Amino acid sequence: MQRKTPSCVVLSHGYEESDALRKLSILAILLAATALLAGARLPPQGPMPEPRPDAGQATSPTSPSSEKAQPPAPEEVPAPQPKPDVKDPQAPASSQPPAPQAAPSKPGPAEPMQGPPRPPGSPESSQPPEEAKPPGEQTLEEQNLTIEPESDAEHAECTAALQSLGVVFKDTPRIDDGNGCGIDKPIIVSEALPGIKLKPEATIRCPAALALARWMKDSVIPAASAALPEQGRITTVNQATSYMCRLRNGAGTGKISEHARGNAIDIASFHFEKGEDVAVRSRREDSTLTGAFQRTVSAAGCLYFTTVLDPESDAAHETHFHLDVIERKGGYRYCH
């Protein structure tokens, strides 16, 4: 008796063969793709960016996009040219020739600054005004100075202080010599203190006379009594200059002298009852009591005057003391 093979076995066998063929096909496809990928290479040079089109020219729509612009070699880069004078804005820049470079011109004279219109009737002048000289180079006439006014109350207070010290003086009319030289309320002093004549009489302002009297009373007389007692008391003070209209040190240009304002007096010597006069001269190396007397009164002068110049200052003062009461900012004093 012969047994028949079931049909399910045949179907199963056919299905298995079909599945195997499908797997082999997939495997073959993968192998082929792998071979293609392995053989593929990147191009030796990647795409270069296209240069920016000229602003005055539109890109042609027919130009192929596959063409890549190559960068120019360094030696082919054109040198920069001056900006052309474009007359036609529609024409490309390359059609305009470069403008020739103009040679630098010499600077011309500066034009005068513009200002408000001149008032009617004012003279027209094509020349600029002359530059003002610095104060140190101006003459007395060029400085346009005026006499400083004095307060009546302050002058009365000052003269009362002179009277209490016994100073012999008198008032004199206002002095005005022009160019700022003069004294608003001058006085003439004949005795610096009671019994001490001032020769010649000095025309000065009251503040200068008051400083002189206080210096004599508090410093000069005590120093003379200590250093030169054998010569007796001081009887005369010899002055070289009081009021005088001039510049400092008699120069032709520069600042006005305090002598021209009545603020200064020059002391040349002291006369005693006995012995010789003590003349003011260079005594820096003088080790005698006379030298000590002069150096003492010179140093003490700065307690009463705002300026003291002695023979050690400069050649212009080698024979006298210059004493003045100029007012400076901050109360500054100059003593030498």
Side-chain angles (χ1 to χ4, degrees), residues 66-87:
S66 60
E67 294 181 1
K68 310 297 181 180
Q70 297 296 328
E75 62 272 9
E76 297 178 358
V77 177
Q81 298 294 330
K83 183 179 179 181
D85 185 12
V86 180
K87 296 182 179 180

Side-chain angles (χ1 to χ4, degrees), residues 78-301:
Q81 298 294 330
K83 183 179 179 181
D85 185 12
V86 180
K87 296 182 179 180
D88 186 4
Q90 301 298 327
S94 58
S95 63
Q96 297 295 334
Q101 186 175 2
S105 58
K106 296 183 179 180
E111 297 183 359
M113 296 181 64
Q114 299 296 326
R118 298 176 180 270
S122 62
E124 295 289 339
S125 176
S126 59
Q127 298 296 332
E130 184 179 356
E131 184 177 356
K133 297 179 182 178
E137 299 179 4
Q138 293 180 357
T139 64
L140 185 60
E141 292 76 11
E142 292 172 335
Q143 296 184 40
N144 299 319
L145 302 174
T146 58
I147 299 174
E148 297 181 359
E150 297 184 65
S151 166
D152 292 338
E154 291 178 355
H155 182 71
E157 182 180 354
C158 180
T159 55
L162 288 180
Q163 292 171 350
S164 66
L165 290 171
V167 178
V168 179
F169 69 95
K170 62 181 179 181
D171 292 321
T172 190
R174 185 177 188 270
I175 300 173
D176 186 354
D177 290 333
N179 300 314
C181 291
I183 307 175
D184 189 26
K185 293 179 171 53
I187 62 173
I188 299 176
V189 179
S190 55
E191 291 189 14
L193 284 175
I196 301 179
K197 295 185 179 299
L198 188 60
K199 289 187 177 180
E201 295 179 338
T203 301
I204 51 179
R205 289 180 62 237
C206 182
L210 184 58
L212 176 66
R214 288 173 174 170
W215 175 60
M216 291 291 300
K217 179 178 182 295
D218 297 337
S219 297
V220 177
I221 293 175
S225 298
L228 308 169
E230 70 282 359
Q231 292 194 204
R233 68 183 185 87
I234 296 175
T235 59
T236 304
V237 176
N238 297 304
Q239 62 95 5
T241 310
S242 54
Y243 169 76
M244 179 180 288
C245 182
R246 62 175 174 82
L247 297 178
R248 292 182 182 180
N249 300 329
T253 59
K255 294 184 177 181
I256 191 171
S257 171
E258 291 307 302
H259 288 286
R261 297 182 179 276
N263 288 327
I265 188 168
D266 293 342
I267 304 300
S269 65
F270 302 93
H271 179 72
F272 290 78
E273 285 179 314
K274 308 170 186 178
E276 298 180 353
D277 291 358
V278 175
V280 177
R281 59 182 177 84
S282 178
R283 297 184 185 272
R284 177 178 294 173
E285 306 299 332
D286 187 350
S287 59
T288 66
L289 288 174
T290 302
F293 164 73
Q294 178 177 303
R295 292 193 296 271
T296 299
V297 299
S298 175

